Amino acid sequence: SATFCVAVGSDANVKPQFAVGNPSNWKMKTMPKFKYVSSLRFVTCVSTTYCVAVGGAGENDGVDDRIVLFSGDPKTWNDSKATIVQYRDVIEPSGVSCIAPKQCLITFTTMNQGSVGNFFFGDPAKLSVSSIKHFETAGSLNELRCQTKSKCIGIGLGSSGRPPKKGQPAGNYSTT
């Protein structure tokens, strides 16, 4: 049977980079004309024609103050298909999971407010500052997976120095 995989990252010039298809013959595709320095960090697919990749983007100052994401058919992703959202705080994507096309949960960590987590659920192409919701957390959620809109799990690292809740290991937690 055919193998379908998507890998994301950035090239040496910190431009978005991804590969689609069978890993045995992958060729990384770079977006050299992309306006911002950027690294795609997370990817999820619900089919061979619908994937979401998310990362951070910024100017050449080393600060990611924008969210960059691509959604839809990864074979058609290019510079002009990116969704860019400038955020008032420096946030970093920390996970993405889709239960169906245009039904995705994306989590973010606010870098200068360690106790605030952020999330978005819906069509990633419609991501905006006003659509990002907030929740209290002791760190960041990573390795996110959803079975339904109301049943997700995220595993992350605590970083606020707060003791873990009873029954939770120090530094790691999950939530649904």
Side-chain angles (χ1 to χ4, degrees):
S1 72
T3 301
F4 176 83
C5 297
V6 178
V8 298
S10 63
D11 70 2
N13 295 314
V14 198
K15 297 295 181 182
Q17 190 174 49
F18 62 95
V20 179
N22 188 324
S24 66
N25 60 9
W26 261 350
K27 289 192 175 149
M28 295 302 285
K29 179 179 178 183
T30 301
M31 296 178 214
K33 295 179 182 175
F34 197 69
K35 182 177 178 179
Y36 305 102
V37 295
S38 176
S39 176
L40 295 174
R41 296 186 183 106
F42 301 95
V43 65
T44 188
C45 297
V46 294
S47 71
T48 59
T49 59
Y50 191 85
C51 297
V52 175
V54 64
E59 302 294 340
N60 286 318
D61 58 6
V63 177
D64 286 354
D65 58 357
R66 293 166 182 84
I67 303 159
V68 60
L69 68 84
F70 294 88
S71 62
D73 187 342
K75 294 179 278 310
T76 66
W77 291 348
N78 61 44
D79 296 22
S80 66
K81 298 236 177 166
T83 299
I84 305 288
V85 177
Q86 185 149 4
Y87 201 74
R88 67 182 174 276
D89 295 312
V90 178
I91 69 172
E92 181 174 298
S94 59
V96 61
S97 183
C98 299
I99 58 172
K102 300 181 181 183
Q103 294 184 34
C104 302
L105 178 66
I106 304 169
T107 57
F108 310 93
T109 300
T110 305
M111 302 308 288
N112 59 355
Q113 298 175 3
S115 63
V116 178
N118 308 279
F119 73 95
F120 165 84
F121 186 87
D123 180 351
K126 296 180 180 177
L127 179 68
S128 67
V129 170
S130 62
S131 67
I132 297 174
K133 308 296 181 213
H134 310 284
F135 63 96
E136 290 294 317
T137 180
S140 64
L141 288 174
N142 303 306
E143 296 302 321
L144 185 64
R145 298 291 179 263
C146 295
Q147 291 179 334
T148 67
K149 181 178 179 178
S150 61
K151 191 170 185 179
C152 298
I153 186 167
I155 299 172
L157 298 173
S159 62
S160 69
R162 296 183 204 161
K165 292 180 182 176
K166 186 174 182 175
Q168 290 182 322
N172 296 300
Y173 60 89
S174 65
T175 187
T176 56

